[in-house]
């Protein structure tokens, strides 16, 4: 059994190693996935909700261990809350532009950290009685920043990313609040 595990691990490392790009190379990676978002502010927190994300990332490998990436994603942050015994869903959609540093700690396995600008595209509040179905974009900053950190694993040309984004500063005008998100995406490198 130990021999079988050793052979399997070696095979996976060989497959992974071939996926990692060489120094001086540039790859383009479309990706899709899911996010789990939460909103906090004004002493309150909203229950998290699952949304979708899709985008593209370009990465330049500086050397065999280090790469720099720039991405563009469209991400929906949906959070729900019960207010006065009624359910509400706040839907915010952003263009997310991350600049990430990727450091490969093992063949195919990278840790990532960076900085991202989040540009508000649309914002809407939906209530169960339809009384509050309204655009609330004016109540949010048009741009806020976040710090994404995470890891990725590459098998052949497929890339599996797990990332958490810490919201910085206020995303809500005239108040205190920001958004945090956990995302999982699958991409393919060209």
């Amino acid at each position: 059994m130990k021999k079988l595990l050793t052979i399997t691990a070696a095979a996976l490392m060989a497959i992974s190693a071939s996926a990692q790009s060489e120094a001086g190379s540039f790859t383009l990676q479309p990706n899709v996935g899911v996010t789990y978002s939460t909103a906090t502010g004004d002493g309150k927190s909203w229950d998290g909700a699952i949304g979708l994300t899709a985008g593209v990332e370009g990465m330049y490998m500086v050397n065999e261990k280090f790469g720099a990436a720039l991405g563009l994603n469209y991400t929906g942050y949906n959070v729900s809350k019960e207010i006065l015994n009624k359910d509400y869903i706040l839907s915010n959609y952003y263009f997310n532009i991350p600049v990430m540093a990727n450091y490969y700690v093992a063949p195919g396995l990278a840790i990532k950290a960076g900085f991202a600008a989040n540009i508000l595209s649309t914002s809407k509040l939906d209530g169960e009685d339809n009384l509050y179905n309204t655009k609330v974009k004016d109540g949010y900053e048009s741009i806020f920043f976040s710090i994404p950190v995470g890891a990725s694993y590459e098998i052949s040309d497929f890339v599996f990313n797990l990332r958490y984004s810490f919201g910085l500063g206020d995303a809500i005008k005239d108040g205190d609040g920001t958004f945090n998100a956990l995302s999982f995406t699958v991409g393919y490198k060209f």
Side-chain angles (χ1 to χ4, degrees), residues 31 40 78 91 94 117 169 175 179-180 184 188:
N31 58 68
T40 58
N78 302 313
S91 302
Y94 290 88
F179 297 100
N180 299 312
F184 175 74
Y188 187 82

Side-chain angles (χ1 to χ4, degrees), residues 70-91:
L70 175 66
L72 175 62
N73 303 299
Y74 190 68
T75 303
Y77 293 79
N78 302 313
V79 291
S80 60
K81 182 74 172 174
E82 184 178 307
I83 301 173
L84 300 175
N85 296 322
K86 294 186 180 184
D87 293 324
Y88 294 90
I89 297 175
L90 172 64
S91 302

Side-chain angles (χ1 to χ4, degrees), residues 13 16 33 39 54 58 73 75 88 91 95 99 105 107-108 122 139 143 169 172 185 187:
M13 287 179 74
S16 298
N73 303 299
T75 303
Y88 294 90
S91 302
F95 288 103
V99 177
V105 294
T122 60
I143 186 169
I172 301 172
T185 61

